[in-house]
Amino acid sequence: MSEITKCLFPVAGYGTRFLPATKAVAKEMLPILTKPLIQYGVEEAVSAGCNTIAMVTSKHKKAIEDHFDTHSDIENAIKSTSKECLVSNLNSLISSADYIFVRQKYMRGLGDAILTGEPLIGDEPFAVILADDLCYNADDTVLKQMVEIYNEHKCTVVAIEEIDTQETDRYGIVSGRALFGRDDLIRVDSMVEKPDPKDAPSNLAIIGRYILTSDIFDILRETEAGAGGEIQITDAINKQAKEGKVLAYKFRGRRFDCGQVDGFVEATNFFYSKG
């Protein structure tokens, strides 16, 4: 299998938890300090070696496409001023990867969004980042850590963290056994989407970082709607897990759930405190 050079960003959702702010502004463009969520995610993808950024968008998300394009009017206005450096890092990020987009016509779940991105990915393994989950690590980024695991084992890898048992109905939950004596790596034998706490097989929750092998597209085509009437990526990955082809990784670092107001505020305070 080839190296991981493409990262898919499903960014077509409505962001209803942040209404009315997201009525006209894409939730992925909401800023943590002066940088939008989506830019943090793209920076992480590029740090992990991805040179193609593929985004599944909608007609309401044009601002995301515009953000990853040059803006000559602004650049000319701040040229040779102290503000010029404020866009230089973004322009460097823009030039470091190719950006391609496709629109998801209907909101039918994360699994459908990933399947919509198939023409952008092709027949190769790829990463997926959910911009809602903002991850921080002072050394290697979470996705870079996962790429190293993929390079060794050549199978699907999902990032996990321990959560409060009472929150399992918000996540995909995995079960399995430790691999090769490592306490941070699990061979997954099953996973279930948003189980009731009393039915959850563990408190190990999948967060918004995946490395998927290309057979996931064929599996998604055959996956029926699950929890919430949506096509769930967890259901599709579970089929790979039944064949022993999925690893769950307890990543090094900190994750902020910026899909929730509390997590968004927590992330803002954390990055502000870092200066």
Side-chain angles (χ1 to χ4, degrees):
M1 292 186 180
S2 60
E3 297 180 351
I4 306 298
T5 62
K6 294 181 179 179
C7 186
L8 184 68
F9 287 80
V11 293
Y14 294 128
T16 53
R17 290 190 184 94
F18 283 83
L19 285 170
T22 50
K23 181 175 182 290
V25 177
K27 68 173 180 177
E28 295 84 4
M29 289 299 296
L30 296 177
I32 301 297
L33 304 184
T34 60
K35 188 189 302 182
L37 278 170
I38 188 67
Q39 186 174 334
Y40 285 95
V42 171
E43 288 173 349
E44 181 176 342
V46 171
S47 79
C50 296
N51 55 28
T52 298
I53 305 300
M55 296 195 182
V56 178
T57 69
S58 72
K59 63 182 180 181
H60 308 290
K61 300 298 185 82
K62 191 174 183 300
I64 295 176
E65 297 184 37
D66 291 342
H67 185 70
F68 294 102
D69 198 357
T70 55
H71 194 313
S72 58
D73 291 341
I74 288 179
E75 291 170 17
N76 289 333
I78 64 175
K79 188 174 182 179
S80 300
T81 73
S82 60
K83 296 180 180 178
E84 188 171 12
C85 63
L86 299 180
V87 297
S88 59
N89 288 341
L90 175 57
N91 284 341
S92 177
L93 184 66
I94 291 170
S95 64
S96 66
D98 295 322
Y99 295 81
I100 51 179
F101 304 86
V102 66
R103 286 185 176 182
Q104 184 181 16
K105 296 179 181 178
Y106 308 102
M107 303 299 105
R108 299 193 299 179
L110 178 57
D112 182 71
I114 291 174
L115 183 58
T116 300
E118 182 181 15
L120 308 181
I121 299 299
D123 186 22
E124 59 186 271
F126 62 102
V128 176
I129 286 180
L130 306 187
D132 282 1
D133 279 339
L134 175 54
C135 295
Y136 172 81
N137 190 52
D139 299 314
D140 291 342
T141 63
V142 172
L143 190 61
K144 187 174 182 180
Q145 297 169 41
M146 295 172 67
V147 167
E148 291 175 357
I149 292 171
Y150 171 81
N151 288 340
E152 181 178 356
H153 298 283
K154 304 297 184 183
C155 66
T156 287
V157 183
V158 299
I160 58 170
E161 68 176 2
E162 294 185 12
I163 61 166
D164 188 304
T165 303
Q166 297 306 309
E167 297 181 348
T168 58
D169 57 0
R170 292 174 46 198
Y171 297 91
I173 304 296
V174 309
S175 66
R177 64 186 186 279
L179 188 69
F180 306 136
R182 292 181 56 168
D183 59 6
D184 63 344
L185 200 58
I186 294 170
R187 176 77 71 184
V188 178
D189 54 39
S190 70
M191 55 178 61
V192 60
E193 181 67 18
K194 300 178 180 178
D196 188 277
K198 65 181 175 58
D199 300 321
S202 75
N203 69 332
L204 298 175
I206 303 169
I207 66 125
R209 299 293 184 277
Y210 307 78
I211 292 179
L212 302 173
T213 51
S214 61
D215 60 315
I216 198 69
F217 294 124
D218 288 335
I219 297 172
L220 282 168
R221 269 187 281 273
E222 299 174 355
T223 300
E224 297 181 355
E230 298 179 333
I231 298 175
Q232 301 291 346
I233 188 61
T234 303
D235 293 340
I237 298 175
N238 191 42
K239 294 181 180 178
Q240 294 180 320
K242 297 300 184 184
E243 299 178 0
K245 297 180 179 179
V246 179
L247 296 178
Y249 172 60
K250 296 180 182 179
F251 61 92
R252 304 188 307 276
R254 185 170 177 179
R255 167 245 181 190
F256 300 92
D257 181 2
C258 292
Q260 306 281 342
V261 173
D262 289 350
F264 188 90
V265 173
E266 184 183 10
T268 300
N269 290 338
F270 174 80
F271 282 92
Y272 181 78
S273 69
K274 289 185 62 62

